[in-house]
Amino acid sequence: MTVAVETGLWQLDAAASTVGIRHKTMWGLVTVKGGFGALSGTSEVRPDGSAVGTLAFDVASLDTGNAKRDSHLRSADFFDADHHPEITFAARSAELRDGDQVHVVGQLTVRGISRPLSLTARLTDGDATGLTLDAEFSVDRDQFGLGWNQLGMIRGRTTVTAALRFVRTTG
């Protein structure tokens, strides 16, 4: 699929977008899944076709289906939502390559700690008024100060999945 993405400003359609996480816990026996209910973001497609933008996820909106676990994830042991209410991703460069593949280079900030992050997203739908990007990548939570691991129950990397719908706001 080849899509011509219009230049201009784009806004994340939060109602049509999802960001989820998955992580193995209980010594790899149980996979905890959750999603962020409150998302925001903007992007700009430049005349050369590249894009820049920012995404933000409200830490307090993380829902794993277990209220006690969600409270613990918001606590200072993990995301520390009182002091760091948002997880942000600043895309410094996004370039459409090989048809529907979007190479993204940016910076992920979790708990006030920023780390570079490069990933490949897939442009699954796009026209002059809207586009959808799908991505899946993993992060090492220890790099962001999320090292709490009672009895060694939580190991490995956290997988993040995103389906992001952007709508064009201006030309």
Side-chain angles (χ1 to χ4, degrees):
M1 171 178 83
T2 301
V3 176
V5 177
E6 297 291 325
T7 60
L9 300 178
W10 296 72
Q11 182 77 36
L12 183 72
D13 180 348
S17 299
T18 60
V19 174
I21 59 170
R22 278 190 322 266
H23 195 97
K24 290 197 179 284
T25 184
M26 301 297 289
W27 306 281
L29 301 174
V30 175
T31 299
V32 172
K33 297 177 183 178
F36 293 92
L39 314 169
S40 63
T42 59
S43 68
E44 178 184 3
V45 176
R46 297 172 172 165
D48 68 1
S50 69
V52 295
T54 58
L55 295 170
F57 320 125
D58 182 351
V59 171
S61 75
L62 179 60
D63 182 3
T64 66
N66 180 309
K68 184 176 180 182
R69 178 176 48 224
D70 293 345
S71 291
H72 189 209
L73 288 171
R74 291 179 192 117
S75 77
D77 284 343
F78 286 97
F79 291 110
D80 196 9
D82 288 344
H83 297 101
H84 306 284
E86 288 186 331
I87 294 171
T88 61
F89 179 72
R92 294 189 175 122
S93 171
E95 297 178 2
L96 187 60
R97 298 181 181 168
D98 303 322
D100 66 351
Q101 302 297 304
V102 180
H103 180 68
V104 182
V105 176
Q107 180 171 289
L108 180 64
T109 302
V110 180
R111 221 183 131 114
I113 299 170
S114 298
R115 300 279 185 246
L117 177 67
S118 295
L119 60 104
T120 300
R122 190 168 151 249
L123 183 62
T124 59
D125 175 37
D127 59 31
T129 61
L131 62 89
T132 302
L133 292 171
D134 287 345
E136 181 172 302
F137 58 93
S138 66
V139 293
D140 180 348
R141 64 189 191 90
D142 289 338
Q143 290 187 332
F144 297 97
L146 303 171
W148 187 90
N149 191 9
Q150 188 173 26
L151 304 175
M153 292 187 338
I154 306 171
R155 294 189 181 131
R157 298 171 67 85
T158 300
T159 300
V160 179
T161 57
L164 305 172
R165 180 74 181 160
F166 287 89
V167 293
R168 191 160 178 254
T169 58
T170 66

